[in-house]
Amino acid sequence: MNDELATALGPTTSRSYRCACNKAIFLRNTQCLNCARQLGYHVEGRTMLAIEPAPQPERWVLARDAAVAAEPTTPLFQRCANFATASNCNWLIPAGTAEHPHAPENLTPGFCLACTLTRTIPDMSSPVNQELWRKLEIAKRRLLSQLLSLALPVETRLERPNGLAFDLLENVPGGPAVLTGHDEGLITLNIAEADDAEREKIRAAMHESYRTLLGHYRHEIGHYYWDRLVKDTAWLAPCRELFGDETVDYAESLQRHYKEGPPADWPLHYVTSYATTHPWEDWAETWAHYLHMADTVDTAVSFGLDANSVDIESDPYTLDDLWKPDDPNAEHFLRFLNSWVLLTSVLNELTRSMGQPDYYPFVLPREAIGKLHFIHEVIRSASTGVVPEAPTQAAPAPSQSQSQSQSQSSAPSAPAAQPVQTIEAAPVKTD
Ligand SMILES: [Zn+2]
Ligand SMILES: [Zn+2]
Ligand SMILES: [Zn+2]
């Protein structure tokens, strides 16, 4: 792959990060193993950076600013309050209002964006829960770093009533089962999904080829962005043409899916069998695939992997497979898609050579290509801050107000609060 491919995906950023000593560092690192400098995720720069102690206690400057650390104009940072918890969050935040004229008002004081979004965490008196929470937050930070890189809106409930929030809940004896789902910006995850054995058991029982925390997050955030970017906009009409009429009864659709299973010819039309359930699920599944593809390609491009040098037979997609073949950006997107196919063919062989499951255990049907192209355009549009107005002939909003997910919660949409150390089991509907 090349730079052209990278630009075809829009405003993405590198996944290859370097310490001030020039050694490679990675998204979850907190300290460089080579020079021992502290490391943190710099949200504005969408990158990992080395930091050094500032003259003030518990304040940091970027290593590149170390020579001017004492000057009043040098940006000061502090570590997220969850750095010292089991979450071990490595995101940096601008130091408090007194030192920083632009202290963000969208954050819970002391917490970074990723942690502000987490509204509820499970009981941390349990060491098992601490480990599950750590895994959940690592996956969530990866998700969020990608959303920020794609310039998608990531808004907390301090700035938008139906902004994003996460409830990470555990089943409690006698309480309602916690189901993973989305409702009006609130994403609920059952923390048992972070238990490898538990998740694998569910994956096998559901006959799924892929089940991960990151996959859950990417699916559920797809529901959020449907609400945020498609509903009540000019995107709704073309979205219905591609994904179907989302006003069909959601609960009935789910029941039918679990009773009758997917239609036999689903592989010709959908990315997964679950996508057949309802147009909202097709959107969320396809959205998740887009994020998988974009992150993998970003990572490959960042490290100089070149799919053009892959020697493998493939049946490439053509412009006719796209949603808008005439779009000036269509050729770029097509190259991205076809490189993705080449790249994943090799990645699958690589994982097989280690006896691991396929890296990408899916086949993208041609019908899904148009949907992916549409999602690409919705994301590109959002990154420019321009969401088209709904035309007057737009179909009315669905009569069901809140069933665009596998589950729903009656939890109030209160402003995001500092993550609490309690279980707040929201009642959720089974899917
Ligand atoms: Zn270093
Ligand atoms: Zn944090
Ligand atoms: Zn869903």
Side-chain angles (χ1 to χ4, degrees):
M1 274 167 286
N2 48 35
D3 288 346
E4 204 171 32
L5 262 181
T7 54
L9 272 182
T12 51
T13 50
S14 176
R15 283 297 195 187
S16 166
Y17 313 113
R18 290 198 179 270
C19 178
C21 72
N22 208 34
K23 278 284 177 193
I25 52 175
F26 301 96
L27 200 57
R28 64 175 72 178
N29 291 163
T30 57
Q31 187 169 21
C32 176
L33 295 176
N34 184 52
C35 71
R37 278 189 183 89
Q38 293 285 305
L39 306 171
Y41 182 73
H42 184 250
V43 181
E44 276 185 15
R46 319 306 195 219
T47 192
M48 288 290 299
L49 289 174
I51 53 176
E52 300 207 359
Q56 301 87 334
E58 296 186 19
R59 295 290 184 262
W60 301 85
V61 294
L62 304 181
R64 66 189 182 210
D65 291 337
V68 290
E71 292 189 9
T73 54
T74 300
L76 289 177
F77 294 88
Q78 64 192 72
R79 284 217 179 265
C80 172
N82 271 335
F83 177 68
T85 67
S87 166
N88 197 210
C89 176
N90 65 350
W91 284 30
L92 302 172
I93 49 178
T97 314
E99 297 92 341
H100 196 283
H102 306 297
E105 293 174 356
N106 61 330
L107 304 183
T108 305
F111 290 90
C112 74
L113 177 61
C115 292
T116 295
L117 294 174
T118 304
R119 195 177 72 161
T120 313
I121 62 172
D123 178 5
M124 281 299 116
S125 66
S126 152
V128 172
N129 282 358
Q130 290 184 23
E131 175 60 11
L132 299 182
W133 184 44
R134 188 184 70 81
K135 291 180 181 174
L136 283 157
E137 293 292 355
I138 287 172
K140 183 158 70 67
R141 289 195 289 269
R142 177 138 202 134
L143 166 84
L144 290 167
S145 70
Q146 183 186 23
L147 300 179
L148 293 169
S149 293
L150 289 168
L152 282 164
V154 179
E155 295 147 315
T156 69
R157 295 195 167 203
L158 294 172
E159 58 193 310
R160 189 181 181 90
N162 291 341
L164 264 178
F166 292 82
D167 276 354
L168 310 178
L169 307 176
E170 69 177 321
N171 288 331
V172 286
V178 174
L179 292 178
T180 295
H182 165 264
D183 179 28
E184 302 280 347
L186 175 64
I187 289 173
T188 303
L189 234 77
N190 188 328
I191 65 163
E193 291 284 348
D195 179 322
D196 293 343
E198 194 62 33
R199 189 181 59 256
E200 174 60 16
K201 203 165 77 184
I202 300 170
R203 188 197 66 73
M206 304 281 282
H207 307 290
E208 295 172 344
S209 52
Y210 174 90
R211 192 178 183 96
T212 65
L213 293 180
L214 193 53
H216 279 310
Y217 281 132
R218 285 177 171 160
H219 174 102
E220 300 306 335
I221 208 88
H223 288 304
Y224 171 72
Y225 282 116
W226 191 91
D227 279 2
R228 180 73 178 78
L229 304 175
V230 175
K231 189 170 76 173
D232 301 331
T233 75
W235 290 120
L236 184 57
C239 188
R240 280 183 183 162
E241 281 178 28
L242 287 163
F243 293 89
D245 179 4
E246 84 289 350
T247 63
V248 299
D249 190 276
Y250 181 77
E252 279 178 20
S253 299
L254 270 188
Q255 275 180 4
R256 191 189 62 245
H257 175 77
Y258 286 119
K259 201 169 144 206
E260 300 171 13
D265 65 346
W266 73 262
L268 297 176
H269 309 288
Y270 298 91
V271 289
T272 63
S273 63
Y274 188 67
T276 65
T277 308
H278 186 275
W280 275 326
E281 297 308 335
D282 189 14
W283 164 272
E285 288 288 88
T286 312
W287 174 281
H289 275 245
Y290 180 88
L291 294 187
H292 293 329
M293 296 162 74
D295 200 4
T296 301
V297 170
D298 266 356
T299 304
V301 169
S302 302
F303 287 94
L305 290 184
D306 184 353
N308 294 316
S309 65
V310 170
D311 185 13
I312 200 164
E313 288 292 314
S314 80
D315 181 16
Y317 298 109
T318 67
L319 281 173
D320 289 340
D321 296 317
L322 301 186
W323 172 56
K324 291 271 189 210
D326 299 334
D327 188 280
N329 187 50
E331 290 271 5
H332 289 257
F333 185 70
L334 189 64
R335 272 198 289 276
F336 157 68
L337 276 173
N338 286 326
S339 293
W340 162 257
V341 173
L342 291 174
L343 185 65
T344 49
S345 301
V346 177
L347 289 171
N348 282 347
E349 272 309 297
L350 284 173
T351 55
R352 287 168 199 159
S353 70
M354 278 296 290
Q356 297 279 8
D358 280 3
Y359 175 86
Y360 183 72
F362 304 98
V363 175
L364 285 175
R366 288 187 189 270
E367 213 167 299
I369 300 305
K371 296 173 187 174
L372 284 164
H373 189 207
F374 178 74
I375 286 172
H376 174 72
E377 289 302 320
V378 171
I379 290 175
R380 264 168 37 92
S381 161
S383 73
T384 62
V386 180
V387 178
E389 293 287 319
T392 49
Q393 71 272 25
S399 53
Q400 301 158 274
S401 62
Q402 50 165 219
S403 55
Q404 67 275 41
S405 60
Q406 294 181 51
S407 65
Q408 64 186 44
S409 154
S410 64
S413 54
Q418 180 171 321
V420 291
Q421 306 284 325
T422 58
I423 302 164
E424 190 183 288
V428 283
K429 196 178 72 176
T430 51
D431 60 26

